[in-house]
Amino acid sequence: LLHAVPLGRALAEVIAGRRHTSVLDAWAHERRRVYHEVTRPTAQENRRRISERDPERRRADIARIRHITEDAAAARQALLGVFQLVGRDPLSC
């Protein structure tokens, strides 16, 4: 949903005639980039964790998650990753 805000702004600018339709192409390109660089790898890692059979890797996964929940700096870093989903604003290009 966060990515819809830049799209709405870009659409408004195009409709008002203040920007060329190429900003919409930039938005689409950025959404594809975010999918390939952020969303897909995150989903693959989540799938791996859920289906992990190796006890050592499961312990390491649990330890990492526990660390994130108990350490404010680690939690902050993990949450910053969420903001990568937004991507670059096409109007800033």
Side-chain angles (χ1 to χ4, degrees), residues 10 19-33 88-93:
R19 296 298 285 261
H20 188 268
T21 58
S22 63
V23 298
L24 302 177
D25 294 331
W27 181 85
H29 176 77
E30 182 61 6
R31 295 316 311 150
R32 281 190 299 279
R33 183 195 69 77
R88 296 181 203 100
D89 187 334
L91 295 179
S92 67
C93 301

Side-chain angles (χ1 to χ4, degrees), residues 8-19:
R9 289 180 48 236
L11 281 170
E13 291 291 309
V14 169
I15 290 168
R18 291 187 292 264
R19 296 298 285 261

Side-chain angles (χ1 to χ4, degrees), residues 50-65:
I50 289 169
S51 62
E52 184 60 61
R53 300 263 189 245
D54 181 339
E56 285 301 312
R57 286 191 79 180
R58 285 190 66 82
R59 279 192 279 281
D61 290 340
I62 291 167
R64 181 178 179 278
I65 291 168

